[in-house]
Amino acid sequence: EVQLLESGGGLVQPGGSLRLSCAASGFTFSTYAMNWVRQAPGKGLEWVSTISANGDSTYCADSVKGRFTVSRDNSKNTLYLQMNSLRAEDTAVYYCAKGRSTSCYSCAFDMWGQGTMVTVSS
Amino acid sequence: EIVLTQSPATLSLSPGERVTLSCRASQSVSSYLAWYQQKPGQAPRLLIYDASNRATGIPARFSGSGSGTDFTLTISSLDPEDFAVYYCQQRSNWPITFGQGTRLEIK
């Protein structure tokens, strides 16, 4: 069974940092692109970042560029999101999501974790 | 950035009814459009990918169509479990973008 389990969320002050993790199981992690998507309270979905299967290529939304960094450790089946210089508008549930196919880089997201809440507030 | 506009924002319908949700892109996304369902307190679930392909385990009452800039998600006969928020998403161009969502409510 495919499982994605996020962790690392919490309350942080503006300007602070957090690192989110997403532990994957039930599939060959190293062959799929992975993604982060966030959802502010009561709002819609916002794509945050994508990383290729081998980690060589990454894309980030303009809203987080220069502040957030996506990475992965295929030996640990884990995806990461390093978040620096956090702002109040980064407050959201952060989901990790698996690309649907090994043959496309920006696939639809066929499996999602349960999400981890990040609150940026003083 | 490709903007996806979903309509209507909210729909109130009864179980058993047929419903069609719309998603319009600000420029062509070819067939690189997906649909997701999200229930309160849950993660989104992939329903349709590449405009018309049902994801694994998705009931046949869900169907998608369209290409270019205009897309639809049709639910042929609403089940009580289908009342949720639906989002479209394009993967044609970076950044990946989502529509603002359509809320499907029980009438």
Side-chain angles (χ1 to χ4, degrees), chain A residues 35 37 39 43-47 50 59-62 95 100 104-110 112-115, chain B residues 1 34 36 38 41-46 48-50 55 87 89 91-92 94-100 103:
Chain A
N35 309 272
V37 177
Q39 186 169 36
K43 303 297 185 182
L45 302 171
E46 180 188 13
W47 169 78
T50 295
Y59 287 94
C60 279
D62 285 346
Y95 296 101
R100 184 190 62 80
C104 56
Y105 184 59
S106 61
C107 299
F109 307 155
D110 69 338
W112 298 61
Q114 86 292 346
Chain B
E1 171 176 321
Y36 299 85
Q38 187 178 33
Q42 296 184 17
R45 177 174 71 146
L46 176 66
I48 301 289
Y49 65 92
D50 293 349
Y87 295 95
Q89 174 216 32
R91 67 175 185 92
S92 174
W94 301 102
I96 291 170
T97 51
F98 289 89
Q100 82 281 13
R103 182 178 304 276

Side-chain angles (χ1 to χ4, degrees), chain B residues 17-29:
Chain B
E17 290 195 80
R18 178 185 179 91
V19 60
T20 298
L21 309 183
S22 174
C23 177
R24 177 164 289 178
S26 59
Q27 65 188 76
S28 177
V29 299

Side-chain angles (χ1 to χ4, degrees), chain B residues 4-86:
Chain B
L4 299 179
T5 302
Q6 292 187 240
S7 60
T10 305
L11 265 177
S12 297
L13 294 168
S14 300
E17 290 195 80
R18 178 185 179 91
V19 60
T20 298
L21 309 183
S22 174
C23 177
R24 177 164 289 178
S26 59
Q27 65 188 76
S28 177
V29 299
S30 185
S31 294
Y32 299 130
L33 189 106
W35 290 93
Y36 299 85
Q37 177 194 67
Q38 187 178 33
K39 297 179 181 179
Q42 296 184 17
R45 177 174 71 146
L46 176 66
L47 300 175
I48 301 289
Y49 65 92
D50 293 349
S52 61
N53 297 284
R54 266 192 308 276
T56 302
I58 300 304
R61 65 181 181 272
F62 291 92
S63 63
S65 65
S67 66
T69 60
D70 290 304
F71 299 86
T72 59
L73 172 71
T74 298
I75 309 173
S76 60
S77 178
L78 280 167
D79 187 276
E81 67 182 19
D82 298 336
F83 291 91
V85 179
Y86 291 83

